[in-house]
Amino acid sequence: MYKCSLERMKDMIQTFSKYGDAGHGGITRYSLSPEAIQARKEYQRRMEAIGAEIEVDDVGNMYATIPGSDPNAKRIVMASHVDSVRNGGNYDGILGVMSAMEVLTTVVEQKIPHKHPLTAMIWTNEEGSLYPPAMMCSGIVCYDYLPDHIKPSFRYEDMMASKDILTGKTTFGEALEKSGYKGDKKYRLSPDRYKCYFETHIEQGPILEDNGNDIGVVDCVLGMFIDKIAFYGQTTHAGTFPMGKRRDAFYAASQALQYLHTEIDKLGHPELVYTTGEVVCHPNVHTCVPDYFDFYLDVRHEDPKVLEQVLNIVKSLESKNWAGCQCKVERGWNRDTVYWDKKLVSYVKESCEELGVSHQYIHSGAGHDAQFAAYVLPTTMIFVQSKDGLSHCEPEYSKPEHCTEGASVMLNAVLKADKDD
């Protein structure tokens, strides 16, 4: 069994944390920003130093490849992203890139024999923090293989026209041209050139830590749906209109949200999670009764039957009276559960066992570029323990030892895949 370098991992964590340092222990590193370009240049510098060949596709995805013994063999790719959310942490996304870089560096340094070329890849704009949507460029690259209900969200022309959410002036396409990282479409990830796909990531939750395990052997990305639930009332003056005659959309929404929590919890599914994280209130004036309020409900579970049970509860809102307001439910987004390749999952588990690393099977509740890649190539993921389960925030932290274990597990799993034709 081979092991990666703890000291190199520590150095990479420290180095990449400088690019977009927000001054509070975390980073803001929007895709294609000067900070993200710094991270890309550091990746390129380190990969060229070990003799890797760099390629860039037409949407800025970068590929660093070292050759295998068979020049005609398909590549094995390890991928993630370098962009972050605003005031995010130093591990989400970038750990997968650092892990892939460390695998390549270890292979070169230790002269580990392998048949297939090995690639460390950077996906562009996974977070969608500045240019929505999330997982933009994996959606573009994997477009032809995506389910029909997902495809409309990732049309190339629409993605190039996506405007930055801060000023609304610059499009993603313009930022890509300006960045210098618009390459050639021929370099895109494809089943013609690639054999299989690995992605290492922080867990972003507390399950591994709570169970005393370092590594998660991920078996799937959970199915989900996001619905917009809107309430229509009447704006009146806050000081002059009697309470009993009001149709307060905000109040109606609060009643409905409490109803949802009560009814969904009655289903008794402990692994089911649901969230209200985005709201709109109109006219949003303290002297006015709101005439409109909506919230988005994000629901996730592995079993489509459970999701259907929740959806039925959500749809029932339309037939009920909510403080005299009308309720309408509109579909925002949905995906089916995406299962990883069983053979690759078994290689990850075997590698954990052979390295003596504590581990367990785990689902991914979050979306990743890997879920789109799975429609194109055999795919799997590896999770590294997250302290206190925190992610997408500055206190996000994973021990360097755990990060290195994740890279070592991926290295040995990749070598197993390399031998299997």
Side-chain angles (χ1 to χ4, degrees):
M1 301 303 291
Y2 297 96
K3 291 187 177 181
C4 292
S5 166
L6 174 60
E7 292 308 311
R8 256 196 316 263
M9 183 62 73
K10 287 180 178 178
D11 175 65
M12 282 193 288
I13 293 170
Q14 182 180 27
T15 300
F16 280 96
S17 69
K18 298 175 184 177
Y19 307 134
D21 181 3
H24 314 96
I27 57 168
T28 297
R29 192 162 59 216
Y30 294 131
S31 188
L32 301 180
S33 66
E35 296 79 13
I37 290 173
Q38 285 181 307
R40 285 169 174 261
K41 288 181 177 179
E42 180 68 18
Y43 153 90
Q44 184 168 349
R45 183 187 69 80
R46 289 176 181 250
M47 291 294 90
E48 288 179 339
I50 64 168
E53 178 186 4
I54 307 296
E55 297 169 338
V56 184
D57 69 23
D58 60 318
V59 289
N61 301 316
M62 299 183 71
Y63 310 78
T65 304
I66 58 173
S69 60
D70 182 354
N72 297 315
K74 292 183 179 181
R75 300 174 177 185
I76 297 175
V77 61
M78 297 156 280
S80 196
H81 59 98
V82 301
D83 59 307
S84 80
V85 297
R86 182 177 181 180
N87 295 116
N90 293 312
Y91 301 86
D92 177 14
I94 189 63
L95 175 62
V97 175
M98 294 188 296
S99 298
M101 293 166 63
E102 175 57 25
V103 167
L104 264 59
T105 303
T106 302
V107 168
V108 171
E109 179 186 70
Q110 298 186 27
K111 297 182 174 60
I112 300 173
H114 59 102
K115 173 182 176 180
H116 294 263
L118 305 179
T119 299
M121 178 186 175
I122 292 176
W123 286 107
T124 305
N125 200 25
E126 195 272 351
E127 296 291 358
S129 301
L130 186 60
Y131 303 99
M135 300 176 294
M136 176 190 283
C137 291
S138 57
I140 293 173
V141 168
C142 303
Y143 181 88
D144 290 342
Y145 303 87
L146 298 179
D148 288 341
H149 70 279
I150 295 179
K151 281 184 178 180
S153 299
F154 293 96
R155 292 189 183 96
Y156 178 85
E157 296 78 8
D158 296 340
M159 299 301 96
M160 292 302 108
S162 175
K163 291 186 177 180
D164 78 90
I165 63 172
L166 297 181
T167 69
K169 296 180 179 179
T170 304
T171 67
F172 176 79
E174 290 167 345
L176 181 61
E177 291 282 359
K178 183 180 177 181
S179 72
Y181 284 95
K182 185 171 184 179
D184 197 314
K185 187 175 181 178
K186 70 181 182 181
Y187 294 127
R188 285 187 182 185
L189 185 81
S190 71
D192 295 334
R193 303 180 70 211
Y194 289 86
K195 170 184 169 68
C196 57
Y197 177 107
F198 289 81
E199 184 170 341
T200 296
H201 205 278
I202 59 171
E203 180 197 348
Q204 300 181 279
I207 295 173
L208 292 176
E209 186 177 54
D210 288 351
N211 287 285
N213 290 315
D214 295 351
I215 298 296
V217 181
V218 191
D219 55 6
C220 69
V221 170
L222 297 180
M224 67 175 291
F225 70 82
I226 301 175
D227 278 0
K228 182 172 78 171
I229 305 171
F231 299 84
Y232 298 84
Q234 176 66 57
T235 295
T236 58
H237 194 288
T240 62
F241 209 78
M243 297 297 293
K245 294 176 68 67
R246 295 184 179 193
R247 292 191 292 128
D248 184 333
F250 197 160
Y251 179 46
S254 70
Q255 290 181 329
L257 183 58
Q258 288 193 23
Y259 174 83
L260 286 173
H261 274 258
T262 299
E263 296 303 311
I264 294 172
D265 289 349
K266 284 181 183 177
L267 297 175
H269 300 296
E271 290 190 341
L272 173 67
V273 293
Y274 57 97
T275 306
T276 305
E278 181 179 346
V279 303
V280 172
C281 182
H282 181 272
N284 200 27
V285 176
H286 79 275
T287 57
C288 294
V289 174
D291 66 346
Y292 177 84
F293 193 98
D294 74 42
F295 60 81
Y296 280 83
L297 186 71
D298 178 316
V299 184
R300 308 187 188 213
H301 195 274
E302 179 183 4
D303 189 343
K305 293 180 180 178
V306 173
L307 293 176
E308 186 67 25
Q309 288 178 317
V310 179
L311 183 58
N312 289 335
I313 294 172
V314 173
K315 287 181 176 178
S316 75
L317 296 176
E318 292 184 325
S319 64
K320 301 181 185 301
N321 182 356
W322 303 107
C325 296
Q326 182 185 12
C327 175
K328 291 185 178 180
V329 177
E330 180 181 326
R331 172 49 48 92
W333 165 267
N334 71 288
R335 71 165 182 245
D336 298 327
T337 295
V338 177
Y339 291 95
W340 301 143
D341 182 83
K342 290 183 178 180
K343 185 174 285 187
L344 297 185
V345 172
S346 73
Y347 291 159
V348 172
K349 188 174 191 305
E350 289 170 12
S351 297
C352 288
E353 292 169 347
E354 292 166 3
L355 286 165
V357 175
S358 59
H359 62 281
Q360 67 179 84
Y361 286 114
I362 193 169
H363 305 324
S364 174
H368 301 279
D369 290 313
Q371 76 190 52
F372 288 162
Y375 292 111
V376 181
L377 298 171
T379 295
T380 196
M381 290 189 73
I382 299 159
F383 276 176
V384 170
Q385 186 189 114
S386 296
K387 187 178 187 308
D388 299 325
L390 298 177
S391 181
H392 278 201
C393 59
E394 292 185 334
E396 174 184 281
Y397 179 74
S398 291
K399 293 180 180 178
E401 291 79 7
H402 293 159
C403 295
T404 308
E405 284 179 337
S408 296
V409 168
M410 185 163 68
L411 166 60
N412 287 279
V414 163
L415 293 174
K416 291 177 184 294
D418 178 68
K419 294 177 181 178
D420 179 15
D421 286 321

